[in-house]
Amino acid sequence: MEIRRMKENELLSVIKLATGIYEYSAKPQVQNPAMVQQFYDYMQPQVLTEQFRAESLLLWGAIEGQTLCAVGAMQSNAHITMLYVHPYYQKRGIGAAMLQEMIGFAEHVLRAGRVTVHAIPAASAGFFIKNGFTQMPEISSGVDFCPLEYRFAAYVQPAPSKGISTGMLVFILAVLFVVSGAAVVVSILYSLLLY
């Protein structure tokens, strides 16, 4: 099994496989007709070709022999837009391997702080959670989708400190320096006056 980036001339094969898998496994579980239509609008060859040429869409395929058995797509902002494995090839770790390939690309090439995905249907979220994703609390889930993210440890910002900020520390040290300098001057003047 080879997982590799797909070329523009393979785009129709990607669309055909992704659409077939979507119609077989995901579409029956999606209750919102607008979300179904959104899938079909997105999967238009012209739409994906334009995004591919603009390098805002990156495509991967898992190929065994001459057979395309899984496809994945990610936007240049590290948002996964598709990850489909043909039912015959499922339960072999292909989806997880492809997901890891996309995560690695997002981290090392795109230099992203996180990878996001809207698991559709929401029941598919378990696969992503098993592979290190967590639910995004800022976006509410629904029956039809679950927003998830994978954060890279090197890019996670630490929580703001509740102690003294660096700027405040510099200010305090400057005041202490001025005050201590003034105290020395007063001390010298006082001692000169006494003599």
Side-chain angles (χ1 to χ4, degrees), residues 48-87:
L48 295 181
T49 300
E50 287 174 12
Q51 291 182 14
F52 187 86
R53 287 179 180 166
E55 297 182 1
S56 62
L57 180 68
L58 310 154
L59 299 171
W60 283 265
I63 301 161
E64 186 171 78
Q66 299 297 317
T67 305
L68 179 63
C69 40
V71 294
M74 181 170 56
Q75 295 171 338
S76 58
N77 65 356
H79 179 73
I80 296 173
T81 57
M82 61 175 112
L83 180 56
Y84 296 104
V85 180
H86 189 284

Side-chain angles (χ1 to χ4, degrees), residues 3 5 12 15 26 44 61 66 72 74 98 102 114 116-117 119 135-136 147 157 168 171 173 194:
I3 296 175
R5 295 276 304 278
L12 291 178
I15 293 170
Q44 294 299 310
Q66 299 297 317
M74 181 170 56
M98 186 172 288
M102 290 191 288
R114 67 182 186 163
T116 60
V117 66
Q135 189 167 356
M136 291 190 290
Q157 297 295 322
M168 182 58 79
F171 174 75
L173 289 174
L194 289 178

Side-chain angles (χ1 to χ4, degrees), residues 38-52:
Q38 186 179 17
F39 171 83
Y40 288 114
D41 292 344
Y42 176 70
M43 294 304 287
Q44 294 299 310
Q46 181 182 352
V47 171
L48 295 181
T49 300
E50 287 174 12
Q51 291 182 14
F52 187 86

